[in-house]
Amino acid sequence: MSDTFVIAARIPMGRKAFEQWLETPAPGAEVIENHGAMYDGWFWDGKAPDWRQAGEGTTPREYFADCFGEDAGGLTYVLRYRAGALEAYLMHFGFCESNIYTALVMLAAAGRLSSEAAPSTVLFWAETSGSMFAADSDGWLATLSVGVDGARFAADIDLTATIAELRTAEASYFDLLVRLSEVEESVGAEGESSFAAIARDPRYVDAAVLAES
């Protein structure tokens, strides 16, 4: 099993809805209809999720702004509003349970603000490079359907369209990795401050995420 864990989603919504989401406190695990079934049917089938790890009551803006700070080691995030949708491609080095479960309840809540009737799919997986699997792979860890009618885990979703829609976010994630590695390899780099500056680039994180409430 890889040490790199990723959550990714593209949820259509208006710009005002995106900013409303950023300001709305995170709900509890009950926002997901069948939260106990997170891993059912996938690689960790039979594993029980620990939703006690999920943050509740914190807004996405408060939560994710900290993830782009100076001391966010082990996180490589793309989180933005692009082409009429919230886009998230959130890489964690190691199984950071609090980060994973908190992101999932926040994205479940985001689905309620979707501008489309059809639900979107949030992907969760582990892979060394951080790239997505094929649509028919059995290596996914969880797939969460989110929309205006609620959120639930389901292992019978056709992931073809979801993966295609996330390719741009995936490319931005790899672009971010390249820029970070260039800083790491350069002589006289300014260390953590340089990494934080790159991570906060508007190509990867929407300025509204970093704005003070």
Side-chain angles (χ1 to χ4, degrees):
M1 172 59 67
S2 166
D3 284 332
T4 300
F5 293 79
V6 188
I7 287 177
R10 179 175 168 83
I11 303 173
M13 63 178 61
R15 177 72 200 191
K16 288 185 177 180
F18 173 73
E19 296 193 9
Q20 177 184 341
W21 172 69
L22 289 174
E23 298 172 356
T24 303
E30 65 277 1
V31 71
I32 301 172
E33 175 186 333
N34 60 341
H35 53 273
M38 177 173 175
Y39 301 114
D40 291 3
W42 291 114
F43 190 82
W44 280 353
D45 192 27
K47 179 181 175 67
D50 185 4
W51 289 102
R52 294 172 301 176
Q53 300 286 343
E56 185 175 352
T58 301
T59 69
R61 174 178 286 124
E62 292 167 339
Y63 182 78
F64 286 113
D66 284 344
C67 295
F68 289 93
E70 296 285 344
D71 58 350
L75 305 178
T76 306
Y77 279 5
V78 173
L79 183 65
R80 62 194 181 187
Y81 183 81
R82 188 190 69 84
L86 182 168
E87 282 189 342
Y89 206 95
L90 315 175
M91 188 283 285
H92 307 78
F93 186 74
F95 184 37
C96 306
E97 293 184 80
S98 177
N99 298 57
I100 297 297
Y101 294 120
T102 300
L104 286 172
V105 296
M106 288 182 172
L107 290 171
R112 296 172 171 176
L113 301 172
S114 177
S115 57
E116 295 186 3
S120 302
T121 303
V122 181
L123 304 176
F124 175 46
W125 74 99
E127 208 285 323
T128 302
S129 72
S131 58
M132 290 183 286
F133 294 132
D136 59 354
S137 171
D138 60 1
W140 303 100
L141 295 180
T143 51
L144 176 65
S145 176
V146 304
V148 294
D149 294 324
R152 69 184 322 275
F153 288 106
D156 57 354
I157 302 172
D158 184 348
L159 302 180
T160 304
T162 297
I163 292 171
E165 291 168 353
L166 281 167
R167 288 300 184 192
T168 300
E170 181 188 47
S172 294
Y173 160 76
F174 280 109
D175 179 65
L176 174 56
L177 287 187
V178 169
R179 293 187 64 196
L180 291 173
S181 65
E182 288 173 347
V183 169
E184 185 175 20
E185 294 170 2
S186 66
V187 177
E190 296 178 3
E192 292 185 0
S193 61
S194 295
F195 285 104
I198 292 171
R200 295 164 72 93
D201 188 300
R203 283 177 283 184
Y204 313 120
V205 57
D206 194 284
V209 175
L210 305 175
E212 294 185 4
S213 300

